[in-house]
């Protein structure tokens, strides 16, 4: 008897093997030792940001950027957004210094073309324009179009700062993986509110401090959601992944197949249109977009890209301090624990806590109080984790300018003639 044909994608996977694989690859426990960050940027005209960069100019500039000897991984998103992903770093300063050096090199390479990296969570001027045409993005666009226009905006117009942290220790405590998983979903709303920086879309104010988060939350009914927080993290995530609908079935040749309402669990059980493999499961994971995604480590995906050349350093430093310094982790957990009552039973980012964070930022009194406590704890911890004087001063300045005043970067953003309120 011959095994089922799966083309070039490997051996079929069983349901039990899929659950075991998800438990093993998504939560790798141990003492937190490394962190990383992924920085996404809009690339705009330096002198006329409202003018869309021609595709051929952008492609020529990116050829120069690709030739740079960078430490970080360089990639480009479907709409031409530029992304730098640091290597896993042993300290917060190793992470920040390597990214800072690469960003300086990228900015220098873009300058002769009159282009610059812009720190906004969402393109405030232009409709989505897809520049990359690959099977993954063709399929993703078609699939997400079933739910509305948010998929194209997510793919082509949004940028974020992702902070990547070790999953945590197996044992309970401030650095335990269960505590860090819960902290990520409660503190995550506070980070979203504090760093919200996308109040405009298509030339107008939207009424959201983070329109980027509003866009991501409306991608489709399942893909942007987190699993329930009241269950053991490994089991809850495994169930969530296996019961989530499959976006695409990859093919070696021709367009990829887009199923309707087929969960990964059902795909395993039916074996049609071909039996899924471990590679298919790993690919399926990349098509789920919750605000906290376990990938062996934890990806915190809720922070808007920040303004200024060095604004990105603040959320990276604050997040590292609050998760990896035991004293700060315990302090901030006590501060954000009451937010669970506000969140209620709905998953992030659809629950009231996350919606208020995206819409109101730190103008929300409860989130303002939690952010003040979080930044105070972070400032006390930064020296302990080896942050430089310049980084500590940048965090202190953000704390004074925004957090203490109940404001976020979106409250400072002004674009000429873009003032009319409208929905997303």
């Amino acid at each position: 008897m011959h095994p089922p044909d799966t083309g070039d994608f490997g051996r079929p996977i069983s349901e039990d093997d899929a659950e075991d694989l998800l438990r093993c690859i998504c939560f790798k426990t141990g003492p937190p030792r490394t962190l990383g960050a992924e920085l996404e940027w809009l690339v705009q005209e330096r002198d006329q940001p409202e003018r869309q960069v021609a595709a051929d100019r952008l492609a020529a500039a990116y050829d120069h950027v690709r030739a740079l000897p960078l430490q970080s991984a360089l990639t480009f998103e479907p709409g031409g957004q530029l992304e730098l992903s640091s290597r896993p770093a042993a300290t917060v300063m190793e992470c920040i210094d390597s990214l800072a050096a690469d960003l300086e090199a990228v900015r220098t390479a873009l300058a002769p073309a009159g282009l610059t990296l812009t720190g906004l969570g969402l393109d405030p001027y232009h409709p989505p324009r897809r520049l990359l045409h690959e099977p993954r993005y063709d399929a993703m666009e078609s699939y997400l179009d079933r739910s509305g226009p948010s998929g194209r905006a997510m793919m082509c117009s949004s940028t974020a700062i992702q902070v990547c942290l070790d999953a945590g220790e197996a044992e309970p405590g401030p650095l335990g993986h269960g505590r860090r998983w819960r902290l990520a979903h409660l503190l995550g709303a506070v980070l979203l509110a504090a760093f919200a920086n996308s109040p405009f879309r298509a030339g107008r104010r939207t009424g959201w401090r983070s329109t980027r988060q509003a866009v991501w939350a409306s991608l489709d009914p399942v893909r942007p959601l987190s699993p329930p927080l009241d269950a053991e993290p490994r089991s809850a995530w495994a169930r969530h992944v296996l019961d989530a609908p499959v976006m695409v079935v990859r093919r070696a040749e021709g367009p990829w197949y887009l199923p309707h309402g087929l969960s990964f669990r059902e795909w395993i059980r039916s074996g049609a249109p071909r039996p899924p493999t471990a590679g298919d499961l790993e690919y399926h994971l990349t098509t789920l977009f919750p605000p906290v995604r376990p990938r062996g480590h934890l990806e915190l995906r809720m922070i808007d890209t920040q303004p200024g050349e060095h604004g990105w350093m603040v959320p990276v430093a604050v997040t590292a301090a609050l998760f990896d310094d035991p004293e700060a982790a315990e302090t901030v957990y006590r501060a954000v624990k009451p937010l669970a009552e506000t969140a209620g039973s709905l998953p992030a980012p659809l629950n009231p806590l996350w919606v208020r964070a995206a819409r109101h930022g730190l103008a929300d009194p409860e989130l303002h109080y939690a952010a003040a406590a979080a930044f105070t704890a972070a400032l006390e911890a930064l020296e302990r984790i080896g942050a430089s004087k310049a980084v500590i001063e940048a965090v202190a300045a953000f704390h004074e300018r925004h957090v203490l005043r109940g404001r976020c970067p979106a409250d400072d953003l002004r674009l000429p003639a873009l003032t009319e309120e409208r929905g997303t």
Side-chain angles (χ1 to χ4, degrees), residues 27 165-169 171-191 226-234 236-237 291-294 298-300 302 322-323 329-330 332-348 351 353-354:
F27 288 91
L165 305 154
D166 286 336
E169 298 174 344
E171 297 78 15
L175 302 183
H177 75 280
R179 170 75 69 85
R180 285 162 76 85
W181 177 247
R182 188 169 182 82
L183 177 61
H185 287 85
L186 296 177
L187 179 60
V190 179
L191 297 174
S226 292
L229 281 185
D230 57 358
E232 192 278 321
R234 286 188 175 95
W237 179 248
V292 182
R293 186 165 66 179
L298 301 181
E299 292 179 350
L300 275 64
M302 72 291 294
L322 294 177
F323 276 85
E330 183 64 29
V332 76
Y333 183 73
R334 291 198 300 268
V336 302
K337 191 176 179 180
L339 298 178
E341 184 174 347
T342 301
S345 60
L346 289 175
N351 65 52
L353 176 66
W354 280 75

Side-chain angles (χ1 to χ4, degrees), residues 1-80:
M1 182 176 178
H2 296 286
D5 180 19
T6 56
D8 298 327
F9 299 106
R11 296 174 55 188
I13 189 172
S14 71
E15 195 169 338
D16 288 342
D17 287 344
E19 291 185 355
D20 289 343
L21 188 61
L22 288 170
R23 292 168 181 271
C24 292
I25 68 174
C26 292
F27 288 91
K28 295 178 181 178
T29 54
R33 293 192 176 96
T34 61
L35 74 151
E38 301 176 13
L39 311 179
E40 297 172 342
W41 301 87
L42 299 174
V43 179
Q44 295 182 330
E45 297 279 1
R46 182 182 56 235
D47 299 324
Q48 294 179 288
E50 72 281 1
R51 177 184 172 190
Q52 192 167 51
V53 182
D56 58 344
R57 285 188 61 222
L58 203 58
Y62 285 173
D63 285 341
H64 290 291
V65 173
R66 288 189 183 94
L68 297 173
L70 303 175
Q71 301 176 68
S72 309
L74 171 71
T75 53
F76 300 97
E77 295 298 312

